[in-house]
């Protein structure tokens, strides 16, 4: 499949452990944030989103935390599984619906 | 199944030979957009469309054209491809409401020699 992970930071996680992926965003006016998962050869897949009036949101095995003070977003994956191996990237959106995307973090799950 | 479909998945062409990458979505989304993805960089927007017959430049529009004659289709046209347009391209769509996520196709790997 296509390689989109060249030169990306890598997070190695043991199967069963929790993963934390971080993202610093740049625009103070951004009010909507999304985490995407991209597996080799596939398009980005929506994981979870959060609006700027929230600081935490939980999904199935995933939690997104938003710290607007320091413009930081994180994705926590509980009990990481081999199928979680992928590139993860964040997106910040403004009120016009325009998004800026991070380059991503390669997550490698080891048995 | 709700999806964004791009074709072709892989394309190898030569400099200057016009090509079109098709994109279709079946979710009745008003908004559609094209991005390119290059190693170590985030997705960069090429063009977007808020609705039929409405298109606007994104961050890297040079060398590309788009059209939006129907709601479901948003083709990307390279009139005279150059090697610096070798990239992985993604089409995406979303609902036309605040705070709605983009839904992406599976990508088109373009190589221009």
């Amino acid at each position: 499949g296509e390689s989109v992970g060249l030169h990306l930071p890598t997070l190695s996680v043991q199967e069963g452990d929790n993963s934390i992926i971080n993202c610093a965003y740049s625009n103070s006016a951004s009010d909507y944030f999304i985490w995407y998962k991209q597996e080799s050869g596939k398009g980005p897949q929506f994981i979870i989103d959060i609006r700027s009036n929230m600081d935490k949101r939980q999904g199935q095995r995933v939690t997104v935390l938003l710290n607007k003070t320091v413009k930081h977003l994180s994705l926590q994956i509980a009990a990481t599984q081999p199928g979680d191996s992928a590139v993860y990237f964040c997106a910040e959106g403004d009120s016009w619906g325009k998004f800026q995307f991070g380059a991503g973090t390669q997550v490698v799950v080891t048995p | 199944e709700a999806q964004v479909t791009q074709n072709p998945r892989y394309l190898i062409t030569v400099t200057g030979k016009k090509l079109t990458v098709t994109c279709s979505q079946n979710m009745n989304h008003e908004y559609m957009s094209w991005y390119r993805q290059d190693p170590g960089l985030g997705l960069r927007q090429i063009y977007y469309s808020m609705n039929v017959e409405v298109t606007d430049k994104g961050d890297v529009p040079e060398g590309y054209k788009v059209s939006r004659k129907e709601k479901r289709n948003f083709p990307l046209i390279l009139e005279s491809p150059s090697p610096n347009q070798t990239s992985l391209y993604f089409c995406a769509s979303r609902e036309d409401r605040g705070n709605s996520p983009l839904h992406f196709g599976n990508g088109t790997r373009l190589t221009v020699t």
Side-chain angles (χ1 to χ4, degrees), chain A residues 48-50 54 56-65 76:
Chain A
I48 191 168
D49 59 2
I50 188 168
M54 304 170 69
K56 180 179 180 178
R57 191 165 186 225
Q58 288 183 289
Q60 186 176 14
R61 281 201 308 121
V62 294
T63 301
V64 56
L65 298 177
Q76 301 177 3

Side-chain angles (χ1 to χ4, degrees), chain A residues 27-67:
Chain A
N27 187 355
S28 299
S30 294
D31 61 2
Y32 178 54
F33 304 87
I34 309 173
W35 278 101
Y36 284 95
K37 173 186 181 183
Q38 188 175 14
E39 297 174 276
S40 182
K42 294 185 178 180
Q45 177 186 358
F46 171 85
I47 302 174
I48 191 168
D49 59 2
I50 188 168
R51 295 177 173 77
S52 60
N53 60 354
M54 304 170 69
D55 53 21
K56 180 179 180 178
R57 191 165 186 225
Q58 288 183 289
Q60 186 176 14
R61 281 201 308 121
V62 294
T63 301
V64 56
L65 298 177
L66 174 62
N67 185 330

Side-chain angles (χ1 to χ4, degrees), chain A residues 1-4 6-8 31-32 34 36 38 41-44 46 49 51 89 96-103, chain B residues 9-10 31 35 37 39-43 45 58-59 88 90 94 97-107 109:
Chain A
E2 299 89 353
S3 172
V4 298
L6 293 178
H7 314 301
L8 294 179
D31 61 2
Y32 178 54
I34 309 173
Y36 284 95
Q38 188 175 14
K42 294 185 178 180
F46 171 85
D49 59 2
R51 295 177 173 77
F89 59 86
W96 295 97
K98 183 168 176 60
F99 289 95
Q100 297 290 334
F101 296 87
Chain B
R9 289 296 312 276
Y10 301 91
Y31 182 97
Y35 296 87
Q37 187 176 45
L41 299 178
L43 291 163
Q45 190 178 52
D59 298 316
L88 181 57
F90 288 101
R94 66 172 174 82
R97 60 171 176 82
N99 300 334
S100 61
L102 287 161
H103 300 266
F104 288 89
N106 276 327
R109 167 66 74 184

